[in-house]
């Protein structure tokens, strides 16, 4: 865990409401694993006050990337940053996705809805490096919700796209697309990240198909360090239901441990 | 060299800056970020006798320059704390203070008694002021008599120095401070959070699962400082000031208002290096002012 008060923005990219920032933060980058996140101070002032949690979208050498959607004041301020600006970044926070040796040569589904794709890009890249066969599913409401399409097309693994309105790829929900493919292809594992309703449905599908899965959860966060217990959510650990910290005990949890908010 | 040390009578601190309860976990959480021995002291998260589940989420909501929390003192309980955490904290050279909670007076006393039997603690901070555990945000620190009784019970149960943490959700905080002093508390710390409400307009629902929460952060600083000023003029025991301290100027202002030492809470989230930076800032400031002993400035407000 490091606090880099002066992480320099090297590159920015944007597509409508979606933004990608690349940061020079050597100590953080060297320790980062897929599924971990950063706590970013979006402004040096006191309003907004708290840091914003954002997944590590990619990481190489001394650089890390974040990919985010503007949903409020904090992400809005972050979207206005320019190359050469500096950010106060804390990370890597939390634990990552499980990268198991038995994934080698196996198909691993990575299913992301909207900005939920953020942590899955880094994950798919690491899976590929480890000799697994990542299959990415990327869904959004409409084509403009798939800004990472080009990047994924160039990634060298299979990506399947879906849009709710049929403007690109499979016409329907990404969960429907993943379910269809899952029945056919019998992957060894599934990783998911996205809106709660999407992950809830995906978890049901995995349970029916007896497919082990992990999901990355979100919660408002105070510290990101495990110190405030502000991010807690009910999780089933060893048969016992208790409030665990999303930031420290997660954000990634095995499907069977998660109690979905609709349940 | 400026002498930053603080003599509270019952406890000597190497500098006046402590990490506030509930914002610093059990201390371990900040270990990767800096050497905890730089701190004047650290107050661990509130402890009940038994592990505690805490309140339903969401437990946090932001407001301009403020944070509203309704954690509800989720925690591991005093036994696990003494077994798993305290031995490790005992090796620090900084003053480690436990924050003592209870459902009723008896539990406060039991927690205090249990903690006193374990080495490593410099003092107890009696949390009679958490707004998040009882219906409507009620707490013993809203009543001088309940304060007196609780402090007295704990005083009899433990020989450790006692700091009583006061609630700002009262009409006259000096009456409660005097009751704590009367009952044998060796210091008071103030303030805990201000009872608050945040609403999501779309759904017309409260933003917090527990409906009400406690407001902390820069938004409360002037209110907290006023209360520190009022209390410091009334009591004989030392006052520890907190509420929205984010930088060294804030900390020094509290001292000028009458605080012998300060605690830093919400700032630890926004800038995990806040405490060591504030200590350094205080030292540099005192040096630039030609101040030899920092304690000279306590209560030095000119008016
Ligand atoms: C572990 C983790 C990883 C995340 N990764 C990404 C990512 O890679 N890309 C991305 O676009 N978004 C991600 N999010 C969601 C992102 O943190 C929120 O969209 C962001 O905090 C919203 O801030 P705001 O000021 O723009 O919105 P506001 O609604 O103004 O925020 C108000 C408060 O609520 C919090 N908040 C609001 N929505 C969320 C949310 N969904 N999750 C957590 N806190 C929230 C904010 O942090 C802030 O404290 C992640 C969340 C978590 C917990
Ligand atoms: C998330 C959170 C948890 C807290 N938990 C405790 C606690 O366990 N015991 C306690 O006495 N005060 C607790 N407090 C209150 C703080 O110690 C402090 O009194 C208050 O936040 C005001 O200081 P600040 O503005 O510097 O944060 C908590 C505050 C926050 C924000
Ligand atoms: S955000 Fe503070 S414990 Fe998780």
């Amino acid at each position: 865990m490091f606090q880099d008060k002066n992480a320099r923005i090297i590159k920015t990219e944007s597509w409508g409401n979606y933004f990608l920032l690349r940061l020079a933060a050597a100590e953080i980058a060297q320790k980062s694993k897929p599924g971990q996140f950063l706590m970013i101070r979006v402004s040096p002032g006191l309003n907004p006050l708290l840091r914003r949690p954002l997944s590590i979208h990619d990481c190489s050498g001394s650089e890390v990337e974040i990919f985010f959607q503007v949903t409020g004041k904090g992400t809005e301020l972050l979207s206005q940053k320019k190359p050469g600006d500096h950010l106060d970044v804390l990370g890597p926070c939390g634990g990552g996705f499980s990268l198991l040796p038995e994934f080698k040569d196996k198909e691993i589904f990575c299913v992301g809805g909207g900005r939920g794709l953020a942590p899955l890009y880094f994950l798919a890249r690491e899976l590929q490096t480890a000799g697994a066969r990542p299959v990415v599913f990327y869904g959004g409401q409409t084509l403009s919700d798939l800004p990472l399409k080009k990047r994924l097309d160039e990634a060298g693994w299979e990506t399947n796209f879906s849009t709710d309105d049929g403007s690109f790829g499979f016409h329907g929900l990404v969960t429907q697309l993943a379910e269809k493919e899952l029945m056919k292809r019998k992957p060894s594992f599934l990783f998911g990240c996205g809106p709660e309703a999407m992950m809830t449905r995906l978890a049901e599908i995995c349970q029916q198909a007896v497919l082990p899965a992990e999901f990355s959860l979100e919660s408002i966060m105070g510290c990101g360090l495990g110190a405030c217990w502000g991010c807690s959510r009910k999780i089933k650990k060893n048969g016992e239901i208790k409030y665990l910290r999303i930031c420290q005990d997660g954000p990634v949890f095995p499907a069977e441990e998660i109690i979905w908010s609709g349940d | 060299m400026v002498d930053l040390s603080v003599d509270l009578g019952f406890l000597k601190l190497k500098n006046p800056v402590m990490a506030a309860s509930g914002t610093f976990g059990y201390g371990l959480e900040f270990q990767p970020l800096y050497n905890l021995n730089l701190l004047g002291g650290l107050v661990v998260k509130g402890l009940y006798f038994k592990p505690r589940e805490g309140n339903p989420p969401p437990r946090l909501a932001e407001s301009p320059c403020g944070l509203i929390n309704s954690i509800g003192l989720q925690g591991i309980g005093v036994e696990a704390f003494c077994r798993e955490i305290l031995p490790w904290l005992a090796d620090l050279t900084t003053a480690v203070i436990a924050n003592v909670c209870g459902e009723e007076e008896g539990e406060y006393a039991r927690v205090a008694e249990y903690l006193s039997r374990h080495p490593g603690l410099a003092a107890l901070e009696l949390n009679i002021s958490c707004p998040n555990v009882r219906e409507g945000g009620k707490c013993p620190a809203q009543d001088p008599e309940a304060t007196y009784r609780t402090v007295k019970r704990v005083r009899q149960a433990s020989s450790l120095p006692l700091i009583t943490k006061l609630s700002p959700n009262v009409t006259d905080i000096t009456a409660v401070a005097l009751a704590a002093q009367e009952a044998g508390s060796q210091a008071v710390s103030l303030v805990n959070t201000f009872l608050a409400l945040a609403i999501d307009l779309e759904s017309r629902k409260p933003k917090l699962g527990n409906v009400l929460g406690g407001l902390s952060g820069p938004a409360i600083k002037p209110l907290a400082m006023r209360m520190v000023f009022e209390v410091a003029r009334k009591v004989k025991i030392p006052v520890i000031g907190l509420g929205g301290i984010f930088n060294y100027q804030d900390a020094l202002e509290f001292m000028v208002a009458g605080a012998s030492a300060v605690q830093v809470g919400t700032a630890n989230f926004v800038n995990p290096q806040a405490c060591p930076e504030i200590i350094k800032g205080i030292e540099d400031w005192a040096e630039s002012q030609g101040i030899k002993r920092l304690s000279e400035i306590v209560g030095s407000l000119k008016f």
Side-chain angles (χ1 to χ4, degrees):
Chain A
M1 176 78 62
F2 302 95
Q3 183 182 0
D4 189 335
K5 292 201 152 206
N6 256 319
R8 190 167 50 85
I9 298 173
I10 300 171
K11 188 181 131 185
T12 63
E13 254 183 280
S14 69
W15 309 263
N17 212 13
Y18 294 91
F19 294 80
L20 189 142
L21 301 185
R22 183 182 294 170
L23 305 164
E27 285 166 314
I28 293 174
Q30 276 149 24
K31 292 277 178 213
S32 295
K33 292 182 303 204
Q36 291 186 300
F37 65 97
L38 307 174
M39 289 293 283
I40 300 188
R41 195 161 174 192
V42 294
S43 113
L46 299 174
N47 189 23
L49 191 65
L50 296 175
R51 291 169 178 266
R52 296 314 195 234
L54 293 154
S55 302
I56 299 168
H57 174 61
D58 199 12
C59 169
S60 61
S62 60
E63 298 171 4
V64 284
E65 282 182 353
I66 52 168
F67 169 73
F68 62 95
Q69 184 180 17
V70 172
T71 53
K73 202 164 40 182
T75 42
E76 171 78 45
L77 282 168
L78 202 54
S79 74
Q80 291 159 4
K81 303 288 175 196
K82 297 274 168 301
D85 289 351
H86 291 82
L87 284 175
D88 178 348
V89 181
L90 180 69
C93 301
F97 294 109
S98 303
L99 287 164
L100 306 175
E102 56 264 35
F103 288 171
K104 193 162 182 331
D105 299 324
K106 300 278 167 45
E107 268 190 358
I108 311 294
F109 278 19
C110 304
V111 186
R115 62 182 161 81
L117 196 90
L120 301 179
Y121 183 79
F122 185 18
L123 172 67
R125 228 171 40 72
E126 290 290 296
L127 283 168
Q128 197 172 40
T129 309
R133 301 209 312 274
V135 180
V136 173
F137 295 83
Y138 184 21
Q141 281 173 8
T142 185
L143 178 59
S144 59
D145 286 321
L146 304 177
L148 296 174
K149 180 185 168 302
K150 180 153 173 283
R151 182 170 241 219
L152 288 161
D153 280 336
E154 290 163 359
W157 60 67
E158 177 187 337
T159 304
N160 300 282
F161 301 93
S162 74
T163 50
D164 301 355
D165 66 0
S167 53
F168 187 76
F170 174 82
H171 185 171
L173 301 173
V174 72
T175 48
Q176 295 169 325
L177 174 61
E179 181 173 26
K180 193 165 71 96
E181 291 300 311
L182 189 147
M183 297 306 170
K184 278 208 300 248
R185 302 166 62 158
K186 307 258 180 281
S188 299
F189 206 93
L190 182 145
F191 294 101
C193 182
E196 185 91 3
M198 169 218 145
M199 292 196 286
T200 307
R201 177 69 194 118
L202 213 45
E204 273 169 23
I205 295 168
C206 291
Q207 197 185 15
Q208 278 154 15
V210 202
L211 173 61
E214 284 182 351
F215 294 94
S216 180
L217 303 183
E218 290 184 0
S219 166
I220 178 164
M221 287 189 182
C223 65
L225 296 166
C228 73
W229 296 78
C231 61
S232 299
R233 166 171 174 161
K234 280 204 165 147
I235 298 288
K236 203 168 4 169
K237 262 274 181 300
N238 311 320
E240 211 189 324
I241 295 175
K242 47 185 178 184
Y243 285 120
L244 292 188
R245 295 160 300 180
I246 299 297
C247 72
Q248 182 77 12
D249 307 311
V252 177
F253 291 92
E256 64 276 11
E257 293 183 359
I258 301 170
I259 297 169
W260 298 102
S261 54
D263 287 4
Chain B
M1 269 299 274
V2 188
D3 178 7
L4 294 181
S5 70
V6 174
D7 190 354
L8 296 173
F10 57 92
L11 173 64
K12 213 165 150 114
L13 305 173
K14 55 176 105 170
N15 66 62
V17 179
M18 297 181 253
S21 182
T23 65
F24 211 67
Y26 297 109
L28 300 147
E29 294 82 352
F30 282 75
Q31 179 78 354
L33 291 164
Y34 61 86
N35 179 357
L36 299 180
N37 287 324
L38 292 171
L39 296 169
L42 72 87
V43 190
V44 299
K45 207 175 146 41
L47 290 162
Y48 280 84
F49 205 84
K50 291 259 146 49
R52 222 181 132 88
E53 193 178 50
N55 285 330
R59 292 176 171 186
L60 299 173
E62 271 186 297
S63 63
C65 304
L67 171 65
I68 309 174
N69 90 81
S70 61
I71 311 295
L73 293 162
Q74 175 167 4
I76 59 175
V78 79
E79 287 168 352
F81 172 75
C82 287
R83 198 174 54 238
E84 290 159 26
I85 313 240
L86 189 55
W88 179 86
L89 291 174
D91 287 340
L92 297 175
T93 61
T94 190
V96 177
I97 298 168
N99 187 257
V100 175
C101 305
E103 291 281 353
E104 29 73 44
E105 287 159 29
E107 184 174 8
Y108 279 105
R110 276 198 299 147
V111 172
E113 194 269 334
Y114 193 95
L115 288 168
S116 322
R117 283 194 271 122
H118 294 79
L121 291 173
L124 302 179
E125 182 178 61
L126 199 51
N127 180 8
I128 54 169
S129 47
C130 180
N132 288 322
V133 284
R134 270 162 249 215
E135 190 66 33
K138 296 236 174 354
C139 63
Q142 287 173 318
D143 172 19
E145 273 167 40
T147 299
Y148 181 88
R149 281 198 312 270
T150 312
V151 175
K152 195 89 188 172
R153 267 300 276 278
V154 174
R155 189 56 300 160
Q156 285 159 356
S158 161
S159 54
L160 282 170
L162 208 58
I163 303 162
T164 304
K165 186 159 179 183
L166 305 182
S167 167
N169 304 309
V170 292
T171 316
D172 179 8
I173 195 166
T174 64
V176 190
L178 287 168
Q181 171 178 285
E182 187 75 6
S185 188
Q186 281 106 319
V188 284
S189 54
L190 59 146
V191 294
N192 209 315
T193 53
F194 285 78
L195 197 57
L197 170 65
I199 291 175
D200 177 63
L201 184 58
E202 281 302 294
S203 61
R204 295 198 211 174
K205 284 190 177 154
K207 284 193 183 173
L208 296 175
N210 198 44
V211 186
L212 301 184
L215 178 64
S216 64
I220 70 168
K221 187 188 122 186
L223 300 166
M225 203 147 67
R226 181 262 297 172
M227 291 184 166
V228 165
F229 173 70
E230 289 175 338
V231 169
R233 290 184 354 131
K234 280 273 175 66
V235 298
K236 296 195 190 69
I237 52 178
V239 173
I240 298 167
L242 74 157
I245 296 178
F246 265 59
N247 54 41
Y248 75 91
Q249 293 98 326
D250 295 338
L252 288 162
E253 289 169 20
F254 269 82
M255 294 182 78
V256 169
S260 299
V262 296
Q263 292 180 3
V264 176
T266 305
N268 292 306
F269 304 161
V270 177
N271 175 17
Q273 305 280 348
C275 288
E277 284 177 15
I278 289 170
I279 296 163
K280 178 77 172 54
I282 289 176
E283 186 170 20
D284 292 348
W285 178 85
E287 209 140 313
S288 75
Q289 300 286 309
I291 292 168
K292 295 262 168 344
R293 297 194 55 225
L294 184 67
S295 51
E296 282 167 28
I297 73 160
V298 174
S300 63
L301 186 70
K302 300 175 186 160
F303 65 103

